[in-house]
Amino acid sequence: MTAPERQVDLFVIGAGSGGVRAARIAAGYGARVVVAEEYRVGGTCVIRGCVPKKLLVYAARFREAFEDAVGFGWSATAPTFEWADLIANKDREIARLEAAYMTTLGKAGVEIVKSRAVLEDAKTVRLEATGERIRAEHILIATGATPHLGPAIPGIEHVISSNEALHLDTLPARVLVQGGSYIAVEFASIFAGLGSQVTLVYRGDNILRGFDDDVRQHLRVELEKRGIHVITGNTVAAVEPCGRHFTAHLSGSMQVAADAVMFAIGRPPAVRGLGLESVGVRLAPNGGIAVDEYSQTSVPGIWAVGDVTNRINLTPVAIREGHAFADTVFGGKPTRVDHRCVPTAVFSEPEVGTVGLSEAQAIAEIGDVDVYKTSFRPMKATLSGRDTTVLLKLLVDAATGRVVGCHIVGEGAGEMIQLVGIAVRMGATKADFDATMAVHPTASEELVTMRQPTLRHRRKAAE
Ligand SMILES: Cc1cc2nc3c(=O)[nH]c(=O)nc-3n(C[C@H](O)[C@H](O)[C@H](O)COP(=O)(O)OP(=O)(O)OC[C@H]3O[C@@H](n4cnc5c(N)ncnc54)[C@H](O)[C@@H]3O)c2cc1C
């Protein structure tokens, strides 16, 4: 085998959220950095995740806005919607962002190569596009995760993932979405908002597994109010083409007619074919690359950040991990990422915002927990006449008064939880919340005005 053609300080595999940040910061510390990307610079978040999805979410929300406007004196003149315009505008914005990412990396002195890259040994990477082999003092694996469609059921070839859903030629009149994850409920909301008839099929007993049970139930009811048919305890067993449409056969023997069938049932870490086994990079039991608290893998000099490590699969987490890696390895500042208390949102309609423990987790971890919960009709619904309610919930450690969880379902929940997240992370107590003046009239003011617990969980007295 010939010697590698050249040597760099850092080779990053994958120009997504984690890889781009790590490459830019490392280059800022003076490292010679190459980043390889097999698809498009920006990764999942920018190209086929958070950003295009949120643009579609905005589009979908106009339906309610037009309907609600009537109660406020506006006369709606039957607005029409063009899917092709939305997708073209969305694609233009994504292309602009991709170009901006490339410019930023270029200005930082990072070399971008458009190729799939694989490990050849612990210090060498091979570019599949050219066959070039590059030696690197450090290698960062930031390959993210990819949608998987589950077992090869009959008709699986007709099923799309979120990747294809962002590029459909036309808006399907009827959509079946399988999954209970945040991506599944977000796409169900998008299609419903844009006018599709949506069926959401989930194998478990309720959507959004892992979220607070009140949030799960509240959102399910709200989705149903918006016309989404939620079928739980079922899976799609077969997808049968019927002309230009499909019949989905469910495990419970129901049948659902659909023009598009989308699965959002998981995103395993993208580890396949990277050459990990041959160089000794170990995987964790959850299929992600096993790393220590500094994102170092089992092989010294090989590091991994973001979804490929399957820790918390969110863009800000991948970015923080990439930044911490660069600080640790090239900035002389060993930096760990704190994965506790990560606020997050689900951009369904209505939105969910959550930080900290669910009620079940709080009971399991703390035991003595006070629950403050309220559900009410938002002021806007009084004139719009919309049948919707907001949910606000705080979980408080009864011994210390610390707020250990906050859960919101309603308009603006994502924006609210970003700010509540600061207080919860700092260890704010219920008394701190109470001492904060309300902002009136808002929905979130209830977070500082809930006086009495609705429920008190107490460990049984010592037996
Ligand atoms: C539909 C959808 C919606 C989402 N919405 C949100 C949201 O609202 N908020 C949020 O925080 N997160 C959201 N996420 C999750 C978020 O996109 C990811 O957590 C984030 O992108 C992870 O960043 P990463 O750097 O680990 O990987 P990615 O961003 O996935 O980047 C990995 C890159 O590596 C490339 N690659 C893979 N293998 C190779 C190889 N061998 N050689 C070269 N290149 C390779 C890939 O092409 C990809 O560009 C969403 C995800 C999806 C799918």
Side-chain angles (χ1 to χ4, degrees), residues 68-400:
D68 290 353
V70 178
F72 293 88
W74 292 90
S75 62
T77 48
T80 57
F81 169 71
E82 286 299 334
W83 170 262
D85 290 349
L86 171 63
I87 298 303
N89 292 346
K90 179 263 295 175
D91 287 344
R92 198 174 316 115
E93 172 58 9
I94 302 308
R96 186 191 69 79
L97 284 174
E98 182 183 11
Y101 269 70
M102 289 171 68
T103 303
T104 306
L105 282 173
K107 280 190 183 151
V110 175
E111 181 188 344
I112 304 168
V113 286
K114 297 299 282 292
S115 171
R116 179 170 170 80
V118 295
L119 297 174
E120 204 158 271
D121 62 42
K123 294 280 179 207
T124 313
V125 172
R126 181 166 43 83
L127 301 178
E128 290 197 340
T130 57
E132 186 188 4
R133 295 162 65 240
I134 299 178
R135 192 171 165 80
E137 197 51 35
H138 296 276
I139 297 170
L140 178 68
I141 304 171
T143 51
T146 43
H148 88 121
L149 300 179
I153 56 165
I156 191 74
E157 65 276 16
H158 305 298
V159 174
I160 61 170
S161 72
S162 56
N163 286 351
E164 294 76 38
L166 294 165
H167 291 283
L168 291 170
D169 291 338
T170 54
L171 176 68
R174 296 161 303 177
V175 184
L176 182 152
V177 179
Q178 174 165 239
S181 64
Y182 77 92
I183 294 175
V185 298
E186 287 174 343
F187 274 85
S189 293
I190 288 168
F191 284 121
L194 294 177
S196 305
Q197 186 187 315
V198 178
T199 307
L200 183 62
V201 177
Y202 179 53
R203 68 177 174 175
D205 64 342
N206 208 352
I207 55 173
L208 289 186
R209 186 163 63 93
F211 283 70
D212 184 272
D213 283 338
D214 281 321
V215 168
R216 300 171 74 191
Q217 190 50 28
H218 194 96
L219 184 66
R220 179 180 181 154
V221 170
E222 289 289 331
L223 294 181
E224 287 171 338
K225 283 180 190 168
R226 285 162 175 80
I228 296 175
H229 184 198
V230 182
I231 302 175
T232 47
N234 269 267
T235 54
V236 176
V239 177
E240 184 192 352
C242 306
R244 298 182 63 207
H245 314 294
F246 304 104
T247 300
H249 299 268
L250 306 192
S251 53
S253 78
M254 250 178 290
Q255 295 184 356
V256 180
D259 301 285
V261 179
M262 171 184 157
F263 285 6
I265 56 174
R267 293 177 46 80
V271 292
R272 201 175 297 163
L274 282 177
L276 300 180
E277 315 76 26
S278 59
V279 297
V281 173
R282 276 202 296 274
L283 297 185
N286 67 9
I289 294 179
V291 286
D292 68 11
E293 51 198 347
Y294 296 101
S295 296
Q296 168 132 243
T297 70
S298 50
V299 176
I302 301 185
W303 310 73
V305 295
D307 286 7
V308 76
T309 63
N310 215 355
R311 286 177 278 186
I312 297 178
N313 298 335
L314 293 169
T315 283
V317 178
I319 290 173
R320 194 63 76 88
E321 290 169 356
H323 202 126
F325 153 80
D327 283 347
T328 300
V329 177
F330 297 101
K333 291 181 283 185
T335 307
R336 286 184 280 240
V337 173
D338 185 353
H339 289 93
R340 292 166 305 161
C341 239
V342 173
T344 182
V346 179
F347 296 101
S348 46
E349 185 57 38
E351 227 163 80
V352 173
T354 184
V355 65
L357 304 177
S358 67
E359 187 172 339
Q361 287 168 335
I363 294 167
E365 285 183 28
I366 297 169
D368 293 354
V369 177
D370 290 340
V371 181
Y372 294 80
K373 187 168 74 175
T374 180
S375 177
F376 56 92
R377 195 165 190 227
M379 186 192 266
K380 192 171 159 195
T382 57
L383 293 202
S384 72
R386 181 164 300 283
D387 176 16
T388 186
T389 55
V390 171
L391 171 75
L392 298 175
K393 181 169 176 180
L394 292 177
L395 299 159
V396 177
D397 179 337
T400 62

Side-chain angles (χ1 to χ4, degrees), residues 424-439:
V424 172
R425 205 176 167 282
M426 288 176 73
T429 61
K430 180 67 170 57
D432 293 321
F433 274 61
D434 294 347
T436 304
M437 204 67 84
V439 177

Side-chain angles (χ1 to χ4, degrees), residues 14 16-18 37-38 43-44 50 53 116-117 142-144 182 306-307 315-316:
S17 306
E37 171 53 53
E38 68 177 353
T44 303
C50 333
K53 170 201 75 186
R116 179 170 170 80
T143 51
Y182 77 92
D307 286 7
T315 283

